[in-house]
Amino acid sequence: MRFTASIVLAAFVTSQSFAQELARDQAKLVQQATTVSLRALQFTQGDLASLLDAKSQFTPGGWAEFMKKLDGWQDETGAATFSSRFVPSGPALDVRRHDGVVDLTIPGVLEQENRNPYGGVSTTKYRAEIDLRLAEALGKITHLKQRTCGSAGSHPSCR
């Protein structure tokens, strides 16, 4: 009886340690994905380097998909024709880990600014959620999509 109780106790302690390690690992992946998304969504009008800053953190397909959304919003050098900044408003939502990828949604406020040649500035803030997928083995973003859902107000997310 003591032997069986010892085995059950050892199995319980091992499973608890394993669960804690998985949680720590997932937290690191969420932090990495959040950092990359912030870098990708923070760029300055007319500054190509600021737009390309996060490119190395994406897979080639993920980067192509992200840049496709900027079609029509780039100047002749490829730089964005507006500035962008994303500020998270809470922890990642809907974190799902499966098949070697982590899917998650980051709520926050997306701020976009445009400066015209005459010195005028137009700034808009949106409540937004960033959906992204991180390939665990590569540690790179395979998908990043911005969803806006109205003006920035007191709501922490689009939900």
Side-chain angles (χ1 to χ4, degrees), residues 52-111:
L52 298 176
D53 187 41
K55 183 178 180 179
S56 66
Q57 300 299 309
F58 282 76
T59 62
W63 183 252
E65 176 186 277
F66 175 70
M67 290 301 292
K68 182 141 181 73
K69 302 220 177 8
L70 289 177
D71 280 353
W73 298 100
Q74 293 174 278
D75 64 19
E76 63 280 349
T77 69
T81 58
F82 63 96
S83 296
S84 174
R85 184 172 83 111
F86 181 74
V87 178
S89 61
L93 308 170
D94 301 331
V95 178
R96 294 176 310 283
R97 200 171 179 183
H98 60 92
D99 303 323
V101 298
V102 177
D103 291 316
L104 58 106
T105 300
I106 303 169
V109 175
L110 181 65
E111 180 178 334

Side-chain angles (χ1 to χ4, degrees), residues 85 109-113 123-128 148 150-153:
R85 184 172 83 111
V109 175
L110 181 65
E111 180 178 334
Q112 296 178 332
E113 178 182 278
T123 303
T124 306
K125 292 182 180 182
Y126 305 94
R127 282 184 299 127
T148 59
S151 63

Side-chain angles (χ1 to χ4, degrees), residues 26-39:
Q26 182 166 306
K28 285 180 191 177
L29 290 168
V30 167
Q31 180 60 44
Q32 178 185 2
T34 301
T35 300
V36 172
S37 68
L38 294 177
R39 191 175 309 141

